[in-house]
C-alpha cells in the first residue's frame, strides 16, 4: 500500500464519473465509503508503536501478528461517529446489500458500536448479539459495516507498522499486522513473486505462489488457477477448502494499478468463482450482496477465464 492510494482512487472514480456521466451503483457506493474513510484517515494520528528486532523475530516464528485487539489505538468516539456514517451509506444501497439489521435501521435509535462487538470482529470470533440480526445476510452485512468503519484506523496502524515486517520471514496466509485474511493478490513486476493484500488493513505481504493461503495446502493436485485472455488477472482456486483468491499480474499491467480499487473492478471474476462453487474466505466490502447484484445484472462484458 502506498501513501495516497485512496486519494488516487477517488480522483480516478471522479474522472470516470465525468467521462461516463455516472458510475455503476457499486462504484458509487464505494466512492461514498472511500470519501468518508479518507476524510477520517486524515484525523487519525499514526499510532506510536515500536518493536525490537527480537520481538519481530519471535512473533514471526510464532505466527503472531504485530497487533492484537488490546494493542489497537482507537479513538472510540470518532470510530462510533464513523460507524453511524458508514451505516447510513450501506442503508442507501439495499439492492446491493439487502436490508440492514433491525437494530441499525430503527429511525429513532442511534446505531452504536459496543467495544465487545469490535473485539469479537477483530479476533474473527462470532459477534455477540448486542446488535441483533435476523439472518445470515444481516450478520454478514453487520460484519461488512464494522470492517468499513474500522478500515481507516487499521490502515493507520498498517502505515505505522508495515516497515517492521520482515517479508522474507513471515510466509503466513494471514496478515502480519492485523491477522486479517487476504482478499486479493498480485504478482510483482520484478520477479513475479506473489503478494497478498489484507482485506482489513491493506497490508501487503510475500507469500508462496504454490500454496493456498486459506487452508495451507501445498498439494499441487488440488491447487489451480485460471487467467483471462490478456494474462492480466488470475483466479486461484483450492479444491481442498473450496476458497478462491483473485490476483493481478503486474508484469502484464500497463499503467499504475490501484490495488484496493481492483477488488471492485473484478467482480465478474467473483461471479465466475461463485458459479464454479468456490467461496471467498475474507469478508471484505460486502461479499455476498455484491455478488448477487452483479450476477443479476451481468452485461456479458466480463472477462472469460480459462
Ligand atoms: Zn491486516
Ligand atoms: Zn485451500
Amino acid at each position: 500500500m502506498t501513501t495516497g492510494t485512496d486519494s488516487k482512487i477517488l480522483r480516478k472514480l471522479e474522472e470516470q464519473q465525468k467521462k461516463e456521466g455516472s458510475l455503476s451503483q457499486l462504484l458509487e457506493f464505494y466512492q461514498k465509503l472511500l470519501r468518508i474513510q479518507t476524510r477520517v484517515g486524515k484525523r487519525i494520528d499514526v499510532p506510536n508503536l515500536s518493536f525490537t528486532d527480537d520481538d519481530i523475530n519471535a512473533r514471526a516464528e510464532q505466527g503472531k501478528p504485530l497487533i492484537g485487539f488490546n494493542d489497537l489505538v482507537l479513538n472510540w468516539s470518532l470510530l462510533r461517529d464513523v460507524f453511524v456514517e458508514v451505516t447510513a451509506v450501506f442503508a442507501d444501497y439495499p439492492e446491493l446489500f439487502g436490508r440492514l439489521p433491525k437494530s441499525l435501521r430503527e429511525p429513532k435509535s442511534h446505531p452504536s458500536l459496543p467495544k465487545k462487538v469490535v473485539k469479537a470482529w477483530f479476533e474473527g470470533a462470532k459477534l455477540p448479539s448486542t446488535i441483533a440480526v435476523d439472518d445470515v445476510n444481516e450478520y454478514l452485512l453487520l460484519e461488512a459495516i464494522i470492517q468499513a468503519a474500522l478500515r481507516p484506523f487499521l490502515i493507520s496502524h498498517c502505515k505505522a507498522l508495515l516497515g517492521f515486517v520482515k517479508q522474507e520471514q513471515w510466509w503466513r496466509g494471514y496478515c502480519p499486522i492485523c491477522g486479517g485474511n487476504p482478499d486479493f493478490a498480485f504478482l510483482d513486476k520484478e520477479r513475479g513473486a506473489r503478494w497478498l493484500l489484507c482485506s482489513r488493513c491493506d497490508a501487503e505481504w510475500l507469500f508462496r505462489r504454490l500454496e493456498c493461503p486459506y487452508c495451507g495446502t501445498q498439494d499441487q493436485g488440488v491447487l489451480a488457477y485460471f487467467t483471462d485472455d490478456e494474462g492480466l488477472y488470475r483466479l486461484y482456486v483450492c479444491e481442498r477448502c473450496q476458497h478462491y483468491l483473485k490476483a493481478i499480474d503486474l508484469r502484464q499491467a500497463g499503467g499504475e494499478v490501484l490495488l484496493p480499487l481492483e477488488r471492485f473492478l473484478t467482480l465478474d471474476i467473483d461471479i465466475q468463482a461463485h458459479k464454479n462453487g468456490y467461496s471467498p474466505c475474507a469478508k471484505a466490502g460486502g461479499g455476498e450482496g455484491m455478488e448477487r447484484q452483479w450476477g443479476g445484472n451481468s452485461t456479458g462484458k466480463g472477462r472469460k477465464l480459462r
Side-chain angles (χ1 to χ4, degrees):
M1 182 192 55
T2 52
T3 314
T5 300
D6 286 353
S7 309
K8 281 185 193 167
I9 293 174
L10 284 175
R11 271 204 301 278
K12 200 161 176 172
L13 289 174
E14 267 153 34
E15 279 164 24
Q16 188 176 334
Q17 193 173 17
K18 243 184 224 156
K19 214 168 83 189
E20 295 172 12
S22 66
L23 293 172
S24 70
Q25 256 205 329
L26 181 72
L27 285 181
E28 187 190 277
F29 158 79
Y30 178 43
Q31 184 184 40
K32 284 186 190 171
L33 204 59
L34 203 53
R35 277 185 183 144
I36 297 171
Q37 292 167 339
T38 312
R39 171 166 46 78
V40 172
K42 287 178 185 147
R43 290 182 57 193
I44 299 172
D45 293 326
V46 175
N48 187 15
L49 297 163
S50 179
F51 297 89
T52 65
D53 228 33
D54 285 350
D55 230 8
I56 301 285
N57 294 341
R59 278 168 186 267
E61 208 162 290
Q62 297 159 12
K64 218 171 140 195
L66 292 182
I67 42 174
F69 179 74
N70 292 330
D71 307 310
L72 278 179
V73 182
L74 292 175
N75 173 339
W76 283 93
S77 83
L78 180 60
L79 173 59
R80 289 186 174 119
D81 288 348
V82 183
F83 181 70
V84 172
E85 255 193 282
V86 163
T87 301
V89 175
F90 276 82
D92 280 345
Y93 295 87
E95 304 89 343
L96 291 179
F97 304 108
R99 218 171 44 161
L100 285 188
K102 197 172 162 197
S103 43
L104 297 184
R105 74 185 124 88
E106 295 282 329
K108 280 191 191 109
S109 74
H110 210 49
S112 75
L113 185 60
K115 191 170 175 176
K116 65 178 177 183
V117 173
V118 178
K119 183 172 189 286
W121 175 83
F122 186 81
E123 292 173 348
K126 194 175 178 317
L127 302 182
S129 52
T130 324
I131 303 176
V133 293
D134 281 340
D135 55 35
V136 179
N137 192 58
E138 287 188 8
Y139 184 87
L140 292 175
L141 185 51
L142 175 60
E143 285 191 325
I145 294 172
I146 296 171
Q147 172 159 344
L150 255 305
R151 183 174 182 268
F153 297 90
L154 293 182
I155 282 185
S156 74
H157 285 74
C158 174
K159 278 182 186 156
L161 296 177
L162 197 56
F164 286 106
V165 175
K166 295 185 184 173
Q167 291 291 351
E168 299 288 344
Q169 210 180 32
W170 182 251
W171 301 115
R172 309 269 173 172
Y174 49 91
C175 175
I177 310 271
C178 79
N181 277 332
D183 68 342
F184 208 83
F186 67 92
L187 303 180
D188 70 28
K189 258 194 157 55
E190 295 73 28
R191 299 175 293 164
R194 186 166 71 157
W195 295 71
L196 305 180
L197 182 69
C198 178
S199 58
R200 311 204 297 188
C201 75
D202 282 357
E204 296 165 359
W205 71 98
L206 203 50
F207 194 67
R208 278 174 282 274
R209 273 170 73 162
L210 303 171
E211 179 178 334
C212 172
Y214 304 120
C215 72
T217 186
Q218 296 187 9
D219 177 355
Q220 300 313 303
V222 299
L223 297 172
Y225 70 84
F226 304 90
T227 62
D228 61 344
D229 287 339
E230 291 82 46
L232 178 60
Y233 291 102
R234 288 186 182 200
L235 171 66
Y236 290 95
V237 297
C238 173
E239 294 301 335
R240 193 171 122 183
C241 67
Q242 297 285 310
H243 288 310
Y244 73 90
L245 178 68
K246 299 184 288 184
I248 185 166
D249 188 345
L250 297 185
R251 295 170 300 181
Q252 312 296 330
E256 185 182 17
V257 171
L258 302 165
L259 288 169
L261 175 62
E262 288 294 330
R263 290 186 178 115
F264 289 82
L265 297 180
T266 50
L267 283 164
D268 54 317
I269 300 180
D270 293 86
I271 291 164
Q272 293 182 55
H274 282 257
K275 276 187 184 149
N276 287 291
Y278 303 101
S279 63
C281 194
K283 295 156 193 125
E288 300 292 320
M290 292 196 289
E291 195 267 333
R292 259 209 327 268
Q293 166 74 4
W294 278 63
N297 283 358
S298 180
T299 56
K301 283 191 302 191
R303 284 167 280 269
K304 277 270 177 297
L305 298 172
R306 289 178 287 130

